Amino acid sequence: MNFVEELRWRGMIHDMMPGTEEQLAKEMTSAYVGIDPTADSLHIGHLVSVMMLRHFQRAGHRPVALIGGATGMIGDPSMKSAERNLLDESALRHNQHCIGKQLARFLDFESKLPNAAKLVNNYDWMKDYTFLNFIRDIGKMITVNYMMAKDSVKKRLGSESKTGLSFTEFSYQLLQGYDFLYLYEHESCRLQMGGSDQWGNITTGTELIRRKTGGEAYALTCPLITKADGGKFGKTESGNVWLDRRYTSPYKFCQFWLNVSDEEAARYIRIFTALSREEIVALEEEQAAAPHLRPLQKRLSREVTVMVHSQADYDAAVEASGILFGNSTSEMLKRLDEDTLLAVFEGVPQFGISRDELAGGIRAIDLCTEKAAVFSSKGEMRKLIQSGGVSLNKEKLTEPDQLIHSESLLNNKYLLFQRGKKNYFLLIAK
């Protein structure tokens, strides 16, 4: 597999330094991508660079994932309008550990082959490097004029920024450049990859390597991924879409990909899956013939959810979708864990009810009119029950005077009433 050709047809190359393709064709090459551990989970905005490393390893090269324990203490000014909050070492170490476990789902760190992936942390080589030694050894190699010419610096110094640029942030590109130099010398890294906003930082590294060692190093960046409306990729109304189920449930994760537009699906399936060109072209032809069936979105959702979570999580997410949008059973509903249940019914009307009243049993008609405004009147509820239009926990309610007890609670906390085909109401026992 030709790595550059693979990225090219997938639309994953923004800039590439001359000589990169020749270097990769000549020999197995080590390349790295840096990730700042500002949270204890990656989000899908990180996935582009991670997929670059995944394809790199598939092409027979050696991927290195750098967790920025040192640079994460400073913060990269690229594409930022203000200085970020800094984390202490204990928080960064925790984040690094969690991110490392997530990366193992994408990269083979255990391979016995020469191109086994490696995880490194720049704090390990920066923690004992004194400021005086750094500015003597590294600072003199790159001029201020060179650093000032970078777009990330000019933007923060220009009229767009109200906060200016601290010396801490200004020094970031020099520290990232030193990472490249260190990995060039100790891990034989000849290439650094990242998002297009990292071009300035990466080329500082190649220049530092040239000036310090006389050696050649290379840069390759991918486009910054945005949604069709120009918004930031991975952001929803509720925030980032995370890879960790604690922050984004597998159901919500699956739904994110299912709900992208046709245009986005055609782009994303190239970037975020390892499907072949032939498979993707066939899916695009299916989409063109029957866009209402959304084959691109469905396959994209399956591939990415299985890759990030598991087949079982994907299957459970599909089953959960059926509860809201299709014909499902009470058994399927009862199998949902609390997080998935709340994710499926996010946005439906919710009412708090007394757990004590359920303990002794309460008539359904009283519960749904007096305790929770599921129906505006008892007459309305009786009429709809007679026509078979009311369900409790996906089972038809046949009698308005049926007693509802605590045993009916889902996850020992919830009752799900359905009025007609599409109107759901979640009652929460407190």
Side-chain angles (χ1 to χ4, degrees):
M1 170 179 145
N2 182 304
F3 174 69
V4 172
E5 281 303 313
E6 184 75 8
L7 259 58
R8 195 171 274 136
W9 78 259
R10 291 181 182 276
M12 293 177 71
I13 295 180
H14 186 273
D15 286 304
M16 183 170 62
M17 190 173 283
T20 303
E21 201 163 358
E22 291 77 5
Q23 167 62 34
L24 296 177
K26 182 172 65 174
E27 60 188 355
M28 184 188 79
T29 302
S30 295
Y32 88 96
V33 164
I35 299 169
D36 274 346
T38 48
D40 64 355
S41 172
L42 301 172
H43 54 72
I44 60 175
H46 292 115
L47 269 185
V48 189
S49 293
V50 173
M51 289 304 294
M52 290 173 78
L53 286 178
R54 185 180 175 94
H55 291 308
F56 196 68
Q57 189 170 35
R58 288 176 60 230
H61 298 291
R62 178 174 175 258
V64 177
L66 182 148
I67 303 294
T71 42
M73 290 181 166
I74 294 172
D76 180 6
S78 302
M79 302 297 286
K80 308 288 192 307
S81 59
E83 189 163 354
R84 69 172 58 167
N85 293 327
L86 308 185
L87 301 177
D88 61 31
E89 185 184 346
S90 62
L92 286 166
R93 284 292 186 190
H94 167 75
N95 294 351
Q96 293 152 19
H97 174 72
C98 295
I99 290 171
K101 288 199 298 183
Q102 289 181 331
L103 287 171
R105 292 196 64 86
F106 302 89
L107 305 173
D108 186 356
F109 293 96
E110 306 300 325
S111 173
K112 302 301 182 186
L113 298 174
N115 72 325
K118 184 164 186 177
L119 184 67
V120 297
N121 175 4
N122 63 13
Y123 185 76
D124 294 333
W125 58 79
M126 289 303 303
K127 64 179 185 293
D128 297 322
Y129 205 167
T130 67
F131 177 72
L132 289 176
N133 284 338
F134 184 81
I135 58 172
R136 184 191 63 190
D137 299 340
I138 306 301
K140 68 179 182 180
M141 306 301 299
I142 301 291
T143 67
V144 170
N145 287 352
Y146 179 90
M147 296 171 71
M148 292 277 286
K150 300 295 184 181
D151 288 340
S152 60
V153 173
K154 287 194 289 187
K155 179 183 175 183
R156 287 289 297 278
L157 290 176
S159 58
E160 297 177 49
S161 174
K162 297 178 181 178
T163 59
L165 183 71
S166 70
F167 175 77
T168 302
E169 287 185 296
F170 181 63
S171 66
Y172 185 93
Q173 64 171 290
L174 206 54
L175 289 168
Q176 185 170 326
Y178 178 67
D179 285 343
F180 201 173
L181 172 63
Y182 183 92
L183 291 175
Y184 177 88
E185 293 179 330
H186 293 83
E187 296 291 342
S188 299
C189 270
R190 303 293 299 275
L191 172 65
Q192 185 183 168
M193 302 186 292
S196 59
D197 61 321
Q198 291 298 307
W199 182 256
N201 291 333
I202 295 173
T203 52
T204 296
T206 62
E207 183 66 9
L208 180 60
I209 289 167
R210 187 186 68 78
R211 295 184 184 186
K212 186 78 172 170
T213 71
E216 288 291 329
Y218 304 95
L220 189 155
T221 61
C222 58
L224 289 182
I225 307 301
T226 57
K227 296 188 287 187
D229 63 3
K232 190 172 181 181
F233 174 74
K235 284 276 191 179
T236 66
E237 290 181 4
S238 56
N240 271 325
V241 180
W242 299 92
L243 272 56
D244 192 311
R245 66 179 60 234
R246 292 174 300 160
Y247 307 128
T248 302
S249 69
Y251 170 79
K252 274 191 172 181
F253 187 87
C254 183
Q255 287 294 311
F256 172 83
W257 302 100
L258 276 174
N259 291 325
V260 300
S261 69
D262 290 356
E263 178 189 338
E264 289 166 336
R267 195 157 44 106
Y268 295 170
I269 202 163
R270 283 170 158 74
I271 296 169
F272 298 107
T273 78
L275 294 177
S276 69
R277 192 193 303 223
E278 292 73 23
E279 289 175 295
I280 291 173
V281 168
L283 284 165
E284 288 174 333
E285 290 172 354
E286 285 182 47
Q287 188 90 0
H292 62 287
L293 296 178
R294 299 168 68 80
L296 275 176
Q297 284 91 338
K298 289 176 181 176
R299 187 64 183 276
L300 171 67
S301 179
R302 187 178 92 189
E303 292 291 325
V304 184
T305 304
V306 170
M307 179 175 63
V308 170
H309 293 290
S310 69
Q311 182 68 48
D313 284 319
Y314 171 74
D315 292 341
V318 171
E319 187 172 279
S321 298
I323 290 170
L324 187 58
F325 304 114
N327 296 320
S328 58
T329 64
S330 59
E331 287 73 25
M332 291 168 65
L333 182 64
K334 289 170 184 174
R335 284 200 295 269
L336 294 187
D337 60 74
E338 183 176 10
D339 288 342
T340 304
L341 175 73
L342 292 175
V344 170
F345 295 103
E346 182 179 25
V348 309
Q350 298 183 2
F351 301 98
I353 57 173
S354 169
R355 186 179 291 273
D356 293 339
E357 288 182 328
L358 287 175
I362 182 172
R363 294 194 313 160
I365 197 163
D366 295 333
L367 181 64
C368 291
T369 56
E370 296 175 7
K371 307 300 179 183
V374 177
F375 293 90
S376 58
S377 70
K378 292 182 178 180
E380 180 194 12
M381 183 174 177
R382 284 194 179 96
K383 185 176 180 181
L384 200 55
I385 287 175
Q386 287 173 356
S387 63
V390 181
S391 297
L392 169 62
N393 297 341
K394 285 294 180 178
E395 292 181 345
K396 292 290 184 185
L397 198 64
T398 57
E399 295 292 337
D401 295 329
Q402 178 179 325
L403 289 180
I404 311 298
H405 296 86
S406 305
E407 290 76 17
S408 297
L409 290 170
L410 302 167
N411 292 293
N412 196 34
K413 190 173 181 181
Y414 305 99
L415 294 171
L416 181 70
F417 279 92
Q418 187 175 354
R419 190 183 72 195
K421 288 186 177 181
K422 297 182 179 178
N423 297 309
Y424 290 94
F425 301 86
L426 197 62
L427 278 56
I428 306 171
K430 299 177 179 179

